[in-house]
Amino acid sequence: NKIFLKINKKTILELIYEKLSICKNIDKIIIATSSKKNDDIVATFAKNKDIDCIRGSEKNVLSRISKAQKYYKEYNIIVRANADCPLFIPKILDFDINRLAKSKFDLLSPFYKNDIPFGFSFVVFKSKTIIKISKLARKKVHKEHVENYCFDNKKKFKIHPCKYDKKLHAPNINLTLDTKKDYLK
């Protein structure tokens, strides 16, 4: 239930939604959550905010992303905005989306050869990359951490070599929300 933890009286889910809403390069926000009963509250949040919600397997993030991609075929770029990164910076995400859209790369990941704080941005995929991964990925780890399939199969994908302004370089800083200690920090 970490997405319902609060920072300054707002839940993590609300913070992420608000930050995604101010991104200039995001046309549509879709919540892809599990079909489990305990995630009904996430679907209710989506309904109250008039956000489309895709539900599916709790253990298979790839299937949920793939389902969203099939339903919203008109979008060429997909951002995997997970709730583990509530401190992401919308300007950096916009920058990353724009870079990928103008490139011949399949995905852009700030986690690949990371040189900025972990959690500053999200993985950005071309839609065709999600289609390809969903056809090929079989391992459990690839169904949960979708971009890892690309990292583990570098010859099949062109991964954008993220280079950020030197003043952002701080690869030893972790801004993700994975543990109670992270939340308290």
Side-chain angles (χ1 to χ4, degrees):
N1 288 321
K2 66 183 163 188
I3 61 173
F4 293 104
L5 294 172
K6 291 190 176 186
I7 297 176
N8 293 334
K9 299 182 184 175
K10 291 187 180 182
T11 66
I12 299 297
L13 185 57
E14 288 172 305
L15 289 170
I16 290 174
Y17 169 69
E18 288 174 5
K19 290 171 93 174
L20 287 170
S21 296
I22 64 171
C23 288
K24 292 178 173 82
N25 291 330
I26 292 183
D27 298 319
K28 179 115 181 123
I29 297 171
I30 302 153
I31 292 180
T33 191
S34 87
S35 298
K36 293 193 90 170
K37 181 97 175 114
N38 64 336
D39 281 329
D40 287 351
I41 192 168
V42 177
T44 299
F45 172 86
K47 186 176 180 181
N48 291 341
K49 295 284 186 185
D50 200 29
I51 305 169
D52 292 349
C53 185
I54 301 283
R55 298 188 76 178
S57 169
E58 178 185 40
K59 304 278 186 204
N60 193 336
V61 174
L62 175 58
S63 72
R64 296 194 314 258
I65 293 172
S66 182
K67 194 174 180 182
Q69 182 280 322
K70 287 175 187 167
Y71 194 75
Y72 300 96
K73 289 180 183 177
E74 67 271 25
Y75 298 106
N76 296 320
I77 301 288
I78 295 172
V79 176
R80 180 180 177 233
N82 50 319
D84 297 355
C85 300
L87 300 177
F88 81 94
I89 298 174
K91 249 184 178 173
I92 292 175
L93 181 56
D94 276 335
F95 179 72
D96 288 348
I97 292 168
N98 195 41
R99 281 199 298 179
L100 184 66
K102 291 180 177 181
S103 78
K104 293 183 180 182
F105 290 91
D106 297 310
L107 73 151
L108 182 149
S109 173
F111 312 126
Y112 182 68
K113 298 182 180 179
N114 188 41
D115 64 2
I116 63 170
F118 199 68
F120 250 39
S121 192
F122 297 113
V123 179
V124 183
F125 297 92
K126 291 218 171 138
S127 187
K128 65 181 177 137
T129 305
I130 293 296
I131 295 167
K132 185 175 180 178
I133 296 168
S134 64
K135 287 179 183 174
L136 300 172
R138 296 291 169 253
K139 291 181 182 176
K140 182 180 175 183
V141 66
H142 297 143
K143 291 178 181 183
E144 182 180 354
H145 303 285
V146 179
E147 63 278 4
N148 286 4
Y149 184 80
C150 301
F151 303 158
D152 292 345
N153 294 278
K154 290 181 210 133
K155 290 182 180 178
K156 295 180 184 178
F157 298 94
K158 291 173 73 177
I159 304 169
H160 197 293
C162 296
K163 294 293 176 201
Y164 298 95
D165 190 304
K166 290 273 187 215
K167 64 185 170 193
L168 293 176
H169 286 211
N172 297 326
I173 294 176
N174 184 347
L175 300 175
T176 59
L177 178 59
D178 295 317
T179 65
K180 176 91 171 173
K181 186 178 175 182
D182 293 338
Y183 176 66
L184 296 173
K185 178 175 66 170

